[in-house]
């Protein structure tokens, strides 16, 4: 009897150990992939110090235990944890990409297309296309804003860890501050604020006559089931109905997609249908990456596709140095990976404050901004098309028609049309550690 019990206990222990090892093994690409990709982009795209990034951005969960090697000659980062290893490489124009199911030499052989230089030099051109800010009184207390900026960036009064802060009032920068190691030329990670940019690019596709977002999507993988009824509008509004798990804390669809897959869009569009399209809302990074893949399919060649975001959006709103990173398959990661300066993000806010017009030129089709901030059914007023809304009173101090670009770890572009105001905050502020409502309240109190 004792012998039999011993066998049972041994079997259970072995089963637990085997299961644990298998689960840990499944996490290793996520752990090392997150470290390699984000460290590579921070160093080679943002120009940040690797030690600073490891001490702050990567200092959580299992990620903090990775061993990271930064190769500045080949612009490569290798991250290791236990028996796992991931590599991310930098390429001009493309930013940094995780090596997943692709050879490094093959990936490096793909070159970003030449793009004609812009006809303006930002340091010699006035805002908004350039960096010469007009000395104009806008009716806001600049001294109060300076005090807010110090409290936010230097003292951490609002919580979190802000890298940068900027306020636009009546289209003009009235406050700007950076933490140590960050400056006005530092490209910073958008995380999911990139979804708002993807929404803008979809608007340009509509304006060009390329897309009708209400028509069903033409995807071979969807032709033989009810996924054939999914529209681009459903994808932008997060109502595709595709089965998806956006839990960042575990091995989930979003963490597997971003860190284990070579083709992010294919991973997402291969998911089965769980709800009828247009009937159920669920926030999904996969949906946005499908939109970016559909954009790629709309061009006859990849060179034109890669030029599109730069020539049709970035260059036209004064952000020619922005970087839109791609996955290993070559599709831009519209869910998460745009790198741009704080002023660039402010310019994007200005585009939406001005109903899709920038510096006198219409960039987005008429009505697109209203479409972007229109309430999607089943969200209770929380979401539009690539933008978060304040109709639920998430920020009680802000007007109900405030809308925002919201990214992981506290990236925010707040757009307050009633106040002709935009507030930009970038940094590392995970798990709602920053009191954004208090910040918005104080900024609005500076209005005279």
């Amino acid at each position: 009897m004792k012998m039999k019990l011993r066998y049972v206990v041994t079997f259970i222990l072995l089963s637990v150990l085997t299961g644990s090892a298998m689960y840990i093994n499944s996490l290793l690409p996520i752990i090392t992939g997150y470290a390699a990709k984000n460290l590579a982009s921070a160093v080679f795209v943002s120009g940040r110090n690797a030690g600073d990034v490891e001490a702050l951005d990567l200092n959580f969960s299992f990620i903090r235990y990775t061993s990271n090697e930064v190769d500045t000659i080949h612009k490569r980062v290798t991250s290791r944890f236990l028996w796992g290893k991931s590599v991310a490489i930098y390429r001009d124009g493309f930013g940094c990409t995780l090596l997943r199911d692709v050879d490094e030499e093959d990936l490096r052989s793909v070159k970003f297309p030449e793009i004609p230089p812009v006809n303006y030099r930002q340091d010699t051109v006035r805002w908004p296309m350039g960096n010469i800010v007009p000395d104009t009184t806008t009716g806001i207390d600049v001294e109060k804003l300076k005090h807010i900026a110090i409290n936010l960036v230097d003292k951490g009064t609002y919580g979190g860890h802000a890298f940068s802060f900027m306020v636009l009032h009546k289209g003009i920068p009235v406050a700007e501050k950076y933490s140590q190691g960050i400056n006005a030329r530092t490209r910073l990670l958008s995380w999911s604020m990139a979804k708002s940019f993807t929404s803008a690019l979809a608007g340009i596709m509509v304006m060009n006559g390329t897309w009708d977002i209400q028509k069903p999507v033409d995807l071979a993988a969807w032709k033989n089931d009810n996924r054939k009824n999914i529209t681009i509008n459903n994808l932008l509004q997060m109502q595709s109905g595709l089965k998806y798990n956006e839990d960042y804390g575990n091995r989930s669809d979003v963490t597997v997609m971003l860190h284990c897959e070579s083709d992010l869009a294919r991973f997402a569009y291969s998911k089965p249908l769980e709800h009828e399209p247009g009937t159920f809302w669920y926030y999904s990074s996969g949906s946005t990456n499908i939109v970016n893949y559909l954009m790629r399919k709309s061009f006859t060649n990849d060179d034109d596709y890669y030029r599109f975001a730069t020539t049709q959006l970035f260059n036209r709103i004064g952000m020619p140095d922005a970087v839109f990173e791609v996955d290993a398959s070559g599709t831009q990661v519209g869910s998460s990976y745009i790198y741009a300066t704080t002023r660039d993000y402010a310019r994007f806010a200005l585009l939406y404050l001005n109903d899709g017009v920038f510096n006198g030129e219409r960039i987005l089709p008429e009505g697109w901004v209203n479409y972007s901030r229109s309430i999607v059914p089943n969200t209770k007023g929380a979401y539009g098309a690539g933008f978060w809304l304040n109709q639920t009173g998430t920020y009680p101090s802000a007007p109900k028609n405030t809308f925002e670009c919201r990214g992981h770890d506290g990236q925010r572009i707040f757009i307050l049309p009633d106040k002709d105001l935009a507030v930009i905050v970038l940094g590392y502020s995970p798990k709602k550690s920053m009191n954004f409502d208090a910040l918005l309240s104080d900024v609005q109190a500076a209005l005279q």
Side-chain angles (χ1 to χ4, degrees):
M1 185 66 180
K2 289 183 178 180
M3 183 68 70
K4 185 176 181 180
L5 181 60
R6 187 177 301 151
Y7 282 134
V8 170
V9 172
T10 301
F11 175 77
I12 291 173
L13 287 174
L14 287 173
S15 297
V16 170
L17 289 172
T18 301
S20 299
M22 290 176 65
Y23 181 66
I24 291 173
N25 189 63
S26 73
L27 292 179
L28 292 182
I30 297 171
I31 295 168
T32 58
Y34 185 101
K37 163 65 187 66
N38 287 282
L39 182 56
S41 294
V43 171
F44 299 123
V45 181
S46 297
R48 295 175 60 198
N49 177 272
D52 292 343
V53 178
E54 290 177 306
L56 182 63
D57 309 44
L58 304 184
N59 190 19
F60 69 96
S61 187
F62 291 109
I63 311 296
R64 64 165 59 94
Y65 301 116
T66 56
S67 173
N68 306 301
E69 177 188 346
V70 180
D71 182 343
T72 56
I73 296 175
H74 300 99
K75 295 189 175 180
R76 178 197 301 124
V77 169
T78 303
S79 297
R80 295 179 173 86
F81 179 67
L82 297 178
W83 57 89
K85 184 180 82 168
S86 291
V87 177
I89 65 168
Y90 171 85
R91 294 172 296 158
D92 288 339
F94 294 115
C96 294
T97 306
L98 269 175
L99 296 183
R100 293 290 187 243
D101 302 321
V102 64
D103 181 76
E104 179 175 350
E105 187 176 345
D106 290 341
L107 202 60
R108 289 194 184 278
S109 69
V110 180
K111 304 298 182 184
F112 198 79
E114 289 188 11
I115 296 177
V118 294
N119 60 359
Y120 55 89
R121 290 181 57 200
Q122 289 194 288
D123 288 340
T124 62
V125 175
R126 290 174 64 85
W127 179 268
M129 295 301 290
N131 291 322
I132 299 177
V133 178
D135 184 14
T136 303
T137 302
T138 67
I140 195 167
D141 191 327
V142 176
E143 291 305 313
K144 280 187 178 179
L145 289 179
K146 287 180 180 178
H147 183 68
I148 292 168
I150 290 171
N151 283 339
L152 172 69
V153 179
D154 293 342
K155 297 182 178 180
T157 304
Y158 299 94
H161 190 115
F163 293 159
S164 66
F165 170 64
M166 193 166 189
V167 177
L168 293 186
H169 185 227
K170 297 183 179 180
I172 296 172
V174 290
E176 183 176 16
K177 187 168 179 58
Y178 300 92
S179 65
Q180 187 174 1
I182 307 293
N183 58 54
R185 297 185 184 277
T186 304
R187 301 185 188 99
L188 294 170
L189 173 58
S190 66
W191 278 123
S192 286
M193 295 197 305
K195 293 178 174 69
S196 304
F197 283 82
T198 296
S199 179
L201 291 169
I204 296 173
M205 297 289 281
V206 170
M207 191 170 179
N208 291 345
T210 306
W211 274 1
D212 179 345
I213 62 170
Q214 302 298 341
K215 286 186 175 181
V217 167
D218 180 21
L219 263 183
W222 291 356
K223 287 188 179 297
N224 297 320
D225 55 60
N226 283 344
R227 292 180 298 178
K228 65 178 179 290
N229 298 319
I230 298 173
T231 65
I232 292 172
N233 176 60
N234 295 149
L235 294 165
L236 291 172
Q237 294 187 335
M238 304 296 181
Q239 287 194 311
S240 71
L242 295 171
K243 186 176 182 179
Y244 197 80
N245 182 346
E246 188 82 10
D247 184 354
Y248 285 87
N250 298 300
R251 178 180 167 84
S252 63
D253 289 331
V254 67
T255 55
V256 170
M257 178 184 69
L258 289 176
H259 307 116
C260 303
E261 297 294 320
S262 60
D263 189 331
L264 278 56
R266 183 176 61 191
F267 174 83
Y269 70 64
S270 298
K271 292 293 180 180
L273 199 66
E274 194 170 37
H275 303 276
E276 282 300 307
T279 66
F280 182 81
W281 183 85
Y282 185 79
Y283 183 80
S284 163
S285 292
S287 291
T288 308
N289 288 328
I290 295 171
V291 174
N292 287 98
Y293 172 70
L294 294 172
M295 284 185 196
R296 186 179 184 183
K297 281 179 81 258
S298 299
F299 291 89
T300 57
N301 61 75
D302 277 349
D303 281 0
D304 288 343
Y305 166 63
Y306 295 134
R307 290 188 183 104
F308 174 63
T310 301
T311 61
Q312 297 303 304
L313 180 60
F314 297 155
N315 287 357
R316 295 169 74 191
I317 64 171
M319 44 186 298
D321 296 324
V323 175
F324 201 161
E325 294 185 323
V326 301
D327 63 18
S329 79
T331 302
Q332 290 167 334
V333 186
S335 67
S336 313
Y337 293 151
I338 287 176
Y339 279 78
T341 68
T342 306
R343 292 178 181 179
D344 289 340
Y345 291 123
R347 292 179 173 103
F348 186 72
L350 186 58
L351 174 68
Y352 277 78
L353 277 171
N354 291 336
D355 191 36
V357 174
F358 194 91
N359 201 35
E361 179 185 11
R362 176 156 289 284
I363 308 296
L364 305 176
E366 291 186 21
W368 190 260
V369 172
N370 283 335
Y371 159 74
S372 303
R373 63 184 184 181
S374 295
I375 299 172
V376 174
N378 305 315
T379 70
K380 299 180 180 180
Y383 203 75
F387 290 81
W388 290 90
L389 312 180
N390 195 41
Q391 295 294 330
T392 57
T394 302
Y395 309 104
S397 72
K400 285 290 186 70
N401 66 348
T402 297
F403 59 113
E404 63 171 314
C405 313
R406 183 188 298 178
H408 183 57
D409 283 345
Q411 321 314 312
R412 297 290 190 274
I413 300 173
F414 295 103
I415 302 168
L416 291 73
D418 284 354
K419 309 285 187 178
D420 203 356
L421 192 71
V423 180
I424 296 87
V425 184
L426 303 166
Y428 180 72
S429 304
K431 297 180 181 178
K432 300 181 180 179
S433 60
M434 183 172 287
N435 189 341
F436 287 109
D437 186 60
L439 176 64
L440 289 174
S441 177
D442 288 348
V443 171
Q444 291 175 90
L447 289 167
Q448 297 174 329

